[in-house]
Amino acid sequence: GAVVSQHPSWVICKSGTSVKIECRSLDFQATTMFWYRQFPKQSLMLMATSNEGSKATYEQGVEKDKFLINHASLTLSTLTVTSAHPEDSSFYICSAIDAALGWSYTFGSGTRLTVV
Amino acid sequence: DAKTTQPPSMDCAEGRAANLPCNHSTISGNEYVYWYRQIHSQGPQYIIHGLKNNETNEMASLIITEDRKSSTLILPHATLRDTAVYYCIVETNTGNQFYFGTGTSLTVIP
């Protein structure tokens, strides 16, 4: 089945630095990828929709200059948290749609970001 | 915004069927219902999806009411490993986004 690899699985960074999270579709082409954030004991919150070769569409309230999303190829999307602060500490999850199947939403295993 | 409502928590005895309800009264005619589950600190795992007909796969069955305003996920023989948060999601028909609701935390009891 479709596999989405997310890297790193966890990262600790200092306040003020930037962190990049990668999301790769391993065995399929993903025309659309999504980025979510999940705080403890809460549900997943959609941050942005990323289409290959175009700018990401951000949900209301999500700062596009802080959460930079790049989807340069059909198998890779990256989320960069710029100038991270402790309140950015969260579980970040990506998902991808298999272009061939259209409906197959596969999620990555998530990245635990801790900003100290 | 999420178009679904689910009970926050449920218990189920091991070996029994777990029936998880979901209301999606504002669903549009061409929007699919998806079910995913999330085990602690992992990414959501696909279970099943459907449009209007009942669906069954190796993991579960999905029963959708005729008016499509609600559905029920059935895990026929729950095991301890089925303990997770189960999300019922209506896919948007504009941009294919998933907006997660609060989900149901299912605890399977030995």
Side-chain angles (χ1 to χ4, degrees):
Chain A
V3 177
V4 172
S5 173
Q6 199 171 330
H7 179 80
S9 56
W10 61 270
V11 58
I12 302 173
C13 72
K14 291 185 176 181
S15 186
T17 62
S18 296
V19 174
K20 180 183 284 188
I21 302 170
E22 291 188 349
C23 179
R24 293 182 183 273
S25 57
L26 296 187
D27 50 1
F28 67 98
Q29 293 185 326
T31 51
T32 305
M33 289 185 172
F34 305 91
W35 286 95
Y36 295 83
R37 181 168 53 180
Q38 185 175 32
F39 293 109
K41 298 189 183 300
Q42 294 187 23
S43 185
L44 285 77
M45 184 190 77
L46 180 65
M47 299 176 66
T49 302
S50 169
N51 291 298
E52 184 263 339
S54 61
K55 291 184 178 181
T57 302
Y58 291 81
E59 294 296 308
Q60 192 171 9
V62 178
E63 301 174 59
K64 62 180 180 180
D65 294 331
K66 180 168 185 61
F67 299 100
L68 301 179
I69 292 172
N70 183 279
H71 191 168
S73 77
L74 285 172
T75 59
L76 174 64
S77 177
T78 60
L79 167 68
T80 301
V81 183
T82 63
S83 186
H85 289 97
E87 57 265 31
D88 299 323
S89 298
S90 187
F91 192 52
Y92 292 87
I93 308 170
C94 69
S95 73
I97 296 179
D98 187 322
L101 294 179
W103 63 262
S104 178
Y105 294 79
T106 304
F107 285 82
S109 54
T111 297
R112 174 76 58 193
L113 170 64
T114 303
V115 184
V116 298
Chain B
D1 291 329
K3 300 178 73 169
T4 61
T5 54
Q6 300 174 251
S9 63
M10 291 181 65
D11 292 339
C12 177
E14 187 179 17
R16 304 296 294 269
N19 296 281
L20 291 85
C22 178
N23 287 322
H24 32 79
S25 58
T26 62
I27 192 170
S28 298
N30 58 349
E31 291 177 328
Y32 282 77
V33 178
Y34 287 78
W35 283 83
Y36 280 74
R37 70 182 182 185
Q38 185 180 29
I39 297 171
H40 181 63
S41 294
Q42 297 182 23
Q45 175 193 22
Y46 169 79
I47 301 174
I48 199 166
H49 76 289
L51 182 62
K52 58 177 72 173
N53 298 321
N54 297 338
E55 302 288 344
T56 296
N57 63 20
E58 64 277 6
M59 289 184 68
S61 295
L62 174 60
I63 308 298
I64 303 174
T65 58
E66 192 169 340
D67 62 8
R68 300 208 329 121
K69 293 185 177 182
S70 66
S71 61
T72 301
L73 177 74
I74 301 173
L75 307 178
H77 306 286
T79 70
L80 299 179
R81 288 185 293 182
D82 291 324
T83 293
V85 178
Y86 287 77
Y87 293 101
C88 166
I89 307 159
V90 171
E91 175 197 16
T92 65
N93 57 9
T94 51
N96 303 115
Q97 289 93 349
F98 275 4
Y99 293 99
F100 283 75
T102 54
T104 295
S105 178
L106 174 69
T107 302
V108 179
I109 302 168

